[in-house]
Structures are given as structure tokens and as C-alpha cells.
Amino acid sequence: MNFDLADPASGSTTNGLYVETWGDGTPVVLVHGSLAIGNDEWEAQRPLAEQGFALRVCDRRGYGRSESAIGEDFLADAEDIVELMGAGAHLVGHSYGGIGAMLAAARYPERTLSLTLLEAPVTAVAHDDPASRGLVDEIRAMWTSDASDRDFVVAFLTAVGSDPDELGPDLLASAVDLVPVFRQGRPFFDADLPLAVLTAARFPKLVVAGGHHPGFDAMCRALAREIGGSFATVEGAGHEIQFTGEPINDLLVGLWGGVTTAT
């Protein structure tokens, strides 16, 4: 699978995956999380396209304009991310999207310019922290609940620290429509992550928490230590850290600065 990313002004669908490219320059792959689509989740990062970066924004399979799927799958995401990386790219994964980004980076560390994880739900760390363990247990219980799709969205967003009322009716309705993709997908807590490979990799790594939930804070701190990465907190948008715009964008540019080729 090879994606034609030559036209930065338009989106295209190749082998069922919809991709838009914003800007020209060093490639950056932005991977959205659950219950969302690419251009909605990364709109606040568009200004980075004017700073010498080509932002590759996809709708993960099952979402948006990409092909339908029974459920989301971080293994399929990893395959797509590898293709989007080309000869080398910075990777940024939010929430569930961070799992696929980690797998892709571990598979091809020589093509990974950097890895940024925005509250990726990595359950293999922070076992001893009650808040982190409680957060994971709460989401596990939701997976098999008989709640309606709308009630599930409200409960899930509240659990991860996002305010459903702040999303607006259109985004909330879109999230409700995407619940089957999420609940029938491969659960993030089943991920077997190559943490040792990421630790040994030489590319820069950054793990960011939103400063809104002690469970995520503990998980992100533990993950940063585990993989030898830096840790930062960006407050103001709950779990949707990328919505803060300038604060997270400044961190990203600081990480990416000067790293234009793989080591």
C-alpha cells in the first residue's frame, strides 16, 4: 500500500484509508483517538502546516471517510501509520491512536523522527497507582455494559475527563454514531506493547497529560519513565489535549525542531 500524498490541498482515499495532507515539509503523522475523525481532532494543529511540516491526517479505519470496519483495531492502525510514515516522519498519537503509533514506531524506529503520545491508554504501566487502576477498571466495565450509545458516550467522555456539554451538539451526535466502532473494536487494554523496543530507540519521545485526571497523570508519567521519554502537562482541554492549540503546538515544534531525518 502506497499513499499518494503529493497534493497538500486535497484529501484522497487509497485502499480504503482517507488521508489529508496539510502543508509541505517534514512529514508528521497525526493519529486521532476513538469516537472522532481526523480533521475534527487536529484542526488546532493546522497552523503547523505553515511552519515547514506536512501534516498527514487520516480517518482511522471504521471512522469518517475511511472504509467501514466491524470495530477499530490498533493493529490495523499500525499498518496504516507505517505506510503514512514513508521514509521518515514524526508520529503523534492521541488516546487510542497512540497505541497504533507506538506499534508503528517500534516496528520501524529508523523511520521514526519522534514519538509524541497524548494520554495514550497504556495499561502496562502505573499498576500500583489506585487512580490509574480505577480509570482502567471503569472503562473495562463500560465495554460490556448495556447502556445506550448516547449514555455510553456521556459516561465514557466523563470518565476520561472530557465534558460532553463542551463538545457541542454536532460533535456529540457524531460521537454517538461512532460508538459501535469503538465498542466492537480491539480493546486498548489488550495491547501487547513493545515498551523495551521503544526504550532502546534513539528518537525523541514525549508523553503529555492533560492535568485533569490523576489516573491519566500517573499513567503518562509512568509511561514516560518506562520508554525513556520526556513528560509534560498541558491543561485546558481535558483529555482532548490537542484542542489547546498553541500550548501543545509549541511543545511539538520544540520537539521536532532540527529533527528532519531519521537517525
Side-chain angles (χ1 to χ4, degrees):
M1 186 192 313
N2 291 302
F3 295 102
D4 180 4
L5 301 166
D7 182 359
S10 64
S12 61
T13 302
T14 304
N15 289 334
L17 190 76
Y18 178 81
V19 183
E20 294 182 10
T21 301
W22 305 339
D24 292 296
T26 304
V28 178
V29 180
L30 301 175
V31 190
H32 69 84
S34 301
L35 304 177
I37 61 174
N39 56 7
D40 284 346
E41 285 291 281
W42 300 109
E43 183 62 30
Q45 281 60 62
R46 245 184 221 275
L48 299 177
E50 306 300 321
Q51 299 186 42
F53 300 102
L55 308 180
R56 298 175 178 176
V57 181
C58 69
D59 291 343
R60 294 192 294 113
R61 294 185 187 274
Y63 287 104
R65 286 153 288 189
S66 290
E67 67 180 6
S68 61
I70 294 174
E72 63 184 354
D73 186 344
F74 50 75
L75 297 179
D77 294 340
E79 296 284 348
D80 291 331
I81 294 166
V82 165
E83 293 293 336
L84 291 172
M85 290 169 68
H90 297 285
L91 302 182
V92 183
H94 172 244
S95 196
Y96 191 102
I99 303 296
M102 293 173 73
L103 292 170
R107 189 175 304 175
Y108 289 102
E110 72 279 5
R111 289 161 55 184
T112 304
L113 303 183
S114 71
L115 173 66
T116 300
L117 302 169
L118 309 181
E119 291 199 336
V122 178
T123 61
V125 298
H127 293 297
D128 297 333
D129 184 84
S132 179
R133 190 168 60 249
L135 173 64
V136 174
D137 288 346
E138 183 177 4
I139 296 174
R140 277 180 184 268
M142 289 181 192
W143 226 270
T144 55
S145 74
D146 58 0
S148 70
D149 288 350
R150 180 179 175 79
D151 287 346
F152 177 88
V153 166
V154 171
F156 176 78
L157 292 176
T158 302
V160 300
S162 294
D163 186 348
D165 293 333
E166 291 185 357
L167 290 183
D170 290 342
L171 277 180
L172 188 60
S174 175
V176 171
D177 290 341
L178 293 169
V179 168
V181 180
F182 182 48
R183 296 180 79 174
Q184 296 175 39
R186 191 184 297 273
F188 66 85
F189 40 78
D190 286 350
D192 182 14
L193 294 170
L195 298 178
V197 176
L198 294 174
T199 303
R202 297 174 57 191
F203 55 77
K205 306 145 209 168
L206 173 64
V207 182
V208 185
H212 61 94
H213 193 297
F216 268 125
D217 289 348
M219 187 183 296
C220 290
R221 285 184 184 277
L223 178 59
R225 289 194 301 269
E226 185 76 25
I227 65 174
S230 301
F231 171 79
T233 300
V234 176
E235 299 181 358
H239 185 54
E240 302 288 343
I241 297 167
Q242 62 272 37
F243 287 6
T244 62
E246 188 173 344
I248 185 62
N249 290 351
D250 287 347
L251 270 181
L252 292 172
V253 171
L255 181 73
W256 301 339
V259 184
T260 57
T261 58
T263 56

